[in-house]
């Protein structure tokens, strides 16, 4: 059952959290707008007024605004790319999404390039750290694509990692998709490694998902024998043979009963 | 009366069953070309794609459609032991029961003997191997050699994750004649997928709740991945079921973004 109140709370927290950058950016853009407007207003004022009276404040102001101007120029080309109007607010909006996409680790190249750009607008250190990541991925991806095209030698090779790491990755995947092929794989690997308890557990899980997988019953029974539960193994195998008339299971049963398999 | 939300929820259980197969334009095209490839004198056909893009579904459908008209075998579970693998093939394809061990040379002999009869009678038997990334390098190589005899045709699926891109790449540099990539759905495809799935289960009311903006939102979260979408929608309807139990008012015409986001938080698509 879903815990709705808890979920609602988490959602609210998420909403608040995700609106913070938006609020900050809005605030900055409003300030920029105000300063910009002030600058323009003051500029037109100075033309009419005498130099001596207002000189000092104007200089200060224009100095401050100059700092801002290169930033604005940077924004310009991106605006066009995103096909938005020159309104500062709309330009800034996508960077919100960008924050989400980092979280979700989206790596569709298109999306990444589009969102990666507004980053420059942000001054926080956290963004600067994350920035290189999508770029790397992009490069790696295109590299792979290029290499795919050149068809060369004629042998198959799969890079195998060490078994333990293999198993953990597969367990992770199994938790996601509950594919009995994966749990059986894990059961077999654990059996090979002599971890019979774990082998037993995973074979059991596999049987629960699909009771027609012969291999799984075999690993299950073999693990039981290894765990000194010969009688239980025999009982289980007999049941399975009644149900499936599997010859492989029959052979194993004979071997266990005769003591050939132990 | 069963709640429509309960029924709709069940539609999105993550199962692979040929009868639940949904036809989408792109998927159908790929499916057609795969079916054609099987008819062509190709030996190995590789089906690859990220987790949850429908590879297992494809194999199930292919098996379901072709099993009436030709010899076809589906192994959802990898047979990891090499000798066990040959024994299974010998038993299923050539009807030869082996009680002892069966090695590669013996397997080749079996094929050799059977080859003559196969060639002038019927089509080459097709073997579908799911989760091929679990087979060892050595066995993979043997599978290739077996397919080189042209007596057995293999369709293998390869699960590809970001880190495993390289593994997949190495496969492409081999003599696999045809490789087909399955991808996530586009937003438009996702809409068809969701609606068709619901309508198949007679959930017409809930199907019409999935307007384009709603689906766009879902697509943003799941990137069009079928499995992620199933999970998200399963939870979404679970939320509806809960609210319904509390007799809370619900707008049937529109799915609140809030519900979608709640479902995404619950399924981990949103990190909160
Ligand atoms: N064409 C389709 N019609 C109906 N459902 C589909 C279709 N494609 C995918 N699905 C659904 O998406 C889910 C994931 O698909 P599937 O299990 O085939 O993915 P996969 O590519 O085999 O993943 P993995 O690499 O993890 O094994 C399935 O539960 C299935 O119900
Ligand atoms: Mg699969």
């Amino acid at each position: 059952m879903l815990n709705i109140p808890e979920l609602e709370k988490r959602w609210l927290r998420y909403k608040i959290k995700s609106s913070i950058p938006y609020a900050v950016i809005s605030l900055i853009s409003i300030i920029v707008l105000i300063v910009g407007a002030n600058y323009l207003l003051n500029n037109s004022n100075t033309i009419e007024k005498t130099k001596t009276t207002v000189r000092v404040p104007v200089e200060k102001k224009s100095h401050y605004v100059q700092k801002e101007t290169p930033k604005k120029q940077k924004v310009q080309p991106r605006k066009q790319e995103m096909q938005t109007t020159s309104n500062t607010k709309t330009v800034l909006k996508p960077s919100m999404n960008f924050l989400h996409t980092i979280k979700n680790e989206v790596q569709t190249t298109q999306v990444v390039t589009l969102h990666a750009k507004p980053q420059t607008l942000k001054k926080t250190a956290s963004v600067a750290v994350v920035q290189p990541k999508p770029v790397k991925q992009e490069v790696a991806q295109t590299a792979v694509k290029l290499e795919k095209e050149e068809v060369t030698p004629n042998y198959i090779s799969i890079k195998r990692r060490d078994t333990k790491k293999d198993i953990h990755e597969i367990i992770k995947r199994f938790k996601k998709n509950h594919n009995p092929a994966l749990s059986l794989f894990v059961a077999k690997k654990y059996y090979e490694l002599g971890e019979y308890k774990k082998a037993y557990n995973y074979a059991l899980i596999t049987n629960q998902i699909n009771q027609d997988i012969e291999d799984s019953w075999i690993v299950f029974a073999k693990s039981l024998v290894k765990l000194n539960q010969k009688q239980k193994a025999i009982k289980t195998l007999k049941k399975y043979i009644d149900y499936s008339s599997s010859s492989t299971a029959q052979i194993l049963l004979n071997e266990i009963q005769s003591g050939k398999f132990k | 009366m069963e709640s429509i939300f309960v029924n709709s929820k069940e539609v999105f259980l993550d199962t692979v069953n040929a009868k639940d197969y949904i036809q989408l334009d792109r998927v159908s095209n790929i499916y057609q070309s795969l079916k054609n490839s099987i008819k062509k004198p190709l030996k190995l056909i590789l089906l690859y794609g990220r987790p949850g893009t429908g590879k297992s579904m494809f194999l199930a459908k292919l098996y379901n459609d072709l099993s009436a008209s030709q010899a076809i075998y589906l192994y959802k579970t990898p047979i990891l032991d090499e000798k066990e693998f040959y024994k299974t093939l010998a038993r299923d394809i050539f009807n030869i029961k082996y009680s002892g061990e069966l090695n590669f040379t013996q397997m080749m002999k079996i094929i050799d003997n059977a080859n003559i009869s196969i060639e002038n009678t019927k089509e080459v038997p097709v073997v579908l191997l799911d989760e091929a990334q679990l087979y060892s390098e050595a066995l993979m190589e043997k599978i290739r050699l077996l397919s080189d005899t042209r007596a057995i045709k293999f369709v293998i699926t390869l699960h590809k994750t970001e880190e495993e891109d390289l593994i997949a790449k190495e496969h492409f540099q081999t003599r696999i004649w045809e490789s087909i990539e399955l991808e996530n759905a586009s937003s438009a495809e996702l809409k068809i997928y969701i609606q068709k799935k619901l309508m198949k289960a007679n959930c017409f009311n809930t199907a019409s709740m999935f307007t384009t903006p709603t689906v766009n939102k879902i697509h943003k979260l799941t990137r069009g991945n079928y499995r992620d979408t199933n999970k998200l929608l399963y939870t979404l309807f679970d939320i509806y079921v809960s609210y319904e139990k509390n007799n809370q008012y619900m707008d049937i015409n529109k799915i609140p973004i809030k519900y979608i986001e709640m479902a995404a938080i619950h399924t981990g698509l949103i990190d909160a």
Side-chain angles (χ1 to χ4, degrees):
Chain A
M1 240 350 261
L2 280 178
N3 182 349
I4 292 285
E6 163 70 16
L7 197 53
E8 277 180 334
K9 243 188 255 159
R10 281 174 72 192
W11 177 78
L12 204 66
R13 244 181 289 145
Y14 157 74
K15 268 308 196 207
I16 292 168
K17 228 176 28 187
S18 57
S19 62
I20 288 172
Y22 185 68
V24 169
I25 287 162
S26 305
L27 210 74
I28 291 174
S29 49
I30 287 168
I31 291 170
V32 168
L33 272 177
I34 291 172
V35 169
N38 254 354
Y39 171 71
L40 284 177
L41 275 175
N42 284 329
N43 234 7
S44 53
N45 278 349
T46 41
I47 302 164
E48 283 157 29
K49 286 183 180 170
T50 48
K51 282 170 192 172
T52 40
T53 42
V54 235
R55 178 151 251 173
V56 182
V58 167
E59 241 177 18
K60 249 188 190 168
K61 274 242 165 86
S62 60
H63 181 68
Y64 178 64
V65 174
Q66 253 171 14
K67 259 193 200 159
E68 297 290 326
T69 22
K71 232 176 156 190
K72 267 195 170 174
Q73 282 167 346
K74 255 190 196 167
V75 175
Q76 215 70 38
R78 275 164 217 132
K79 274 186 203 162
Q80 284 164 353
E81 266 180 60
M82 280 181 271
Q83 291 184 313
T84 51
T85 50
S86 54
N87 187 327
T88 343
K89 264 192 182 167
T90 35
V91 177
L92 289 165
K93 220 174 174 180
S95 65
M96 260 267 297
N97 296 336
F98 167 68
L99 285 178
H100 298 310
T101 41
I102 289 186
K103 276 185 194 160
N104 296 338
E105 279 185 67
V106 164
Q107 39 89 272
T108 321
T109 352
Q110 265 188 344
V111 179
V112 168
T113 40
L114 213 147
H115 292 313
K117 272 163 191 162
Q119 272 178 359
T120 20
L121 288 173
K122 311 212 67 211
K123 285 187 251 172
T124 45
S126 66
V127 171
V129 176
V130 189
Q131 202 177 4
K133 210 174 161 192
V135 180
K136 239 195 226 161
Q137 272 176 352
E138 204 184 305
V139 173
Q141 266 195 350
T142 39
V144 169
K145 261 183 204 148
L146 282 176
E147 280 167 80
K148 266 182 203 169
E149 259 130 51
E150 37 183 86
V151 178
T152 26
N154 28 354
Y155 76 99
I156 293 178
S157 75
I158 311 177
K159 280 252 162 62
R160 302 254 98 203
R161 285 149 301 175
D162 61 304
T163 321
K164 276 269 163 70
K165 212 178 141 204
D166 234 21
I167 290 182
H168 287 297
E169 210 150 87
I170 289 159
I171 291 174
K172 250 200 320 211
R173 282 192 56 220
F174 172 71
K175 284 186 178 150
K176 262 192 174 168
N177 70 6
H178 294 279
N179 182 346
L182 300 181
S183 48
L184 176 57
F185 181 84
V186 174
K188 283 184 173 176
K189 280 291 175 206
Y190 274 134
Y191 187 85
E192 275 173 26
L193 293 172
E195 300 197 36
Y196 302 119
K197 243 194 195 140
K198 287 182 180 165
Y200 167 86
N201 278 333
Y202 275 94
L204 182 68
I205 293 171
T206 311
N207 292 340
Q208 280 165 351
I209 297 174
N210 182 349
Q211 56 172 9
D212 292 326
I213 305 173
E214 182 178 76
D215 270 13
S216 180
W217 287 101
I218 301 286
V219 178
F220 185 78
K222 279 184 174 173
S223 308
L224 272 174
V225 176
K226 295 287 186 196
L227 293 167
N228 286 325
Q229 305 223 32
K230 195 170 155 181
Q231 286 317 313
K232 200 172 164 195
I234 291 173
K235 223 171 102 188
T236 312
L237 271 180
K238 277 185 176 159
K239 254 195 211 155
Y240 176 65
I241 292 165
D242 279 348
Y243 161 79
S244 68
S245 39
S246 148
S247 56
T248 321
Q250 186 62 55
I251 293 168
L252 178 65
L253 179 64
N254 295 342
E255 283 178 358
I256 293 173
Q257 279 175 328
S258 69
K260 209 171 137 199
F261 181 89
K262 42 186 181 196
Chain B
M1 196 191 80
E2 264 287 80
S3 144
I4 48 162
F5 297 123
V6 172
N7 291 337
S8 306
K9 181 176 112 176
E10 252 123 58
V11 168
F12 293 102
L13 276 170
D14 199 56
T15 52
V16 174
N17 200 329
K19 72 167 177 31
D20 299 331
Y21 178 83
I22 302 284
Q23 267 195 310
L24 297 160
D25 281 348
R26 179 157 48 141
V27 175
S28 306
N29 287 340
I30 295 174
Y31 184 68
Q32 258 322 314
S33 68
L34 181 60
K35 256 166 108 176
N36 295 339
S37 312
I38 284 186
K39 300 269 179 272
K40 279 189 258 172
L42 298 163
K43 297 173 244 172
L44 254 177
I45 299 163
L46 175 72
L47 200 61
Y48 70 101
R50 288 179 193 289
T53 44
K55 298 181 295 293
S56 300
M57 192 58 159
F58 239 71
L59 287 193
K61 170 81 175 152
L62 200 63
Y63 178 75
N64 192 64
D65 287 0
L66 297 181
S67 55
S69 62
Q70 79 164 88
I72 186 163
Y73 309 90
L74 171 59
Y75 301 105
K76 294 180 188 172
T77 320
I79 307 159
L80 299 168
D81 182 69
E82 210 176 304
K83 287 170 182 144
E84 202 55 46
F85 183 77
Y86 303 138
K87 250 161 87 170
T88 310
L89 289 190
R91 185 195 62 209
D92 291 353
I93 302 176
F94 305 109
N95 217 350
I96 297 173
K97 286 223 165 119
Y98 243 83
S99 51
E101 296 212 317
L102 185 57
N103 62 29
F104 182 68
T105 328
Q106 288 165 309
M107 184 68 201
M108 288 299 253
K109 238 178 231 153
I110 291 176
I111 290 177
D112 242 17
N113 293 336
N115 217 357
I116 312 137
S117 53
I118 281 179
E119 237 167 77
N120 40 32
T121 50
K122 51 180 184 222
E123 283 166 271
V124 180
V126 177
V127 172
L128 311 175
L129 302 177
D130 203 358
E131 301 278 351
Q133 76 283 346
L134 297 181
Y135 288 92
S136 69
E137 191 179 337
L139 186 49
M140 229 24 225
E141 180 61 16
K142 299 285 174 32
I143 290 172
R144 190 186 69 73
L145 291 172
L146 288 178
S147 69
D148 272 349
T149 63
R150 289 177 186 274
I152 307 174
K153 199 171 286 181
F154 287 95
V155 178
I156 65 177
T157 74
L158 198 74
H159 152 96
K160 184 182 90 172
T161 63
E162 278 105 278
E163 319 90 66
E164 279 165 350
D165 261 358
L166 270 177
I167 299 174
K169 192 202 77 187
E170 281 178 49
H171 277 279
F172 293 108
Q173 297 183 336
T174 66
R175 286 166 52 189
I176 291 165
W177 264 250
E178 189 135 338
S179 57
I180 298 171
E181 178 167 15
L182 287 181
E183 284 173 355
N184 288 342
S186 69
S187 205
E189 285 166 337
L190 199 65
K191 187 174 173 186
I192 298 171
Y193 171 77
I194 295 170
Q195 293 194 334
K196 275 196 177 176
K197 228 170 149 78
L198 284 166
M199 289 196 285
K200 233 179 170 171
N202 291 325
C203 300
F204 299 101
N205 286 334
T206 45
S208 61
M209 288 162 81
F210 290 88
T211 58
T212 303
T214 300
V215 175
N216 285 346
K217 174 78 186 173
I218 294 168
H219 189 267
K220 231 186 205 161
L221 293 164
T222 65
R223 289 163 287 151
N225 186 279
Y226 294 106
R227 182 174 293 127
D228 287 346
T229 303
N230 284 353
K231 278 189 185 163
L232 183 74
L233 296 187
Y234 181 89
T235 313
L236 177 71
F237 283 114
D238 213 9
I239 290 172
Y240 269 104
V241 172
S242 303
Y243 280 138
E244 195 179 40
K245 275 199 188 123
N246 294 336
N247 291 319
Q248 196 157 327
Y249 167 76
M250 278 172 302
D251 185 355
I252 287 283
N253 300 315
K254 204 169 156 256
I255 302 173
I257 295 283
K258 178 186 170 185
Y259 291 7
I260 297 175
E261 285 174 346
M262 275 166 68
I265 290 169
H266 184 75
T267 49
L269 289 168
I270 288 179
D271 180 22

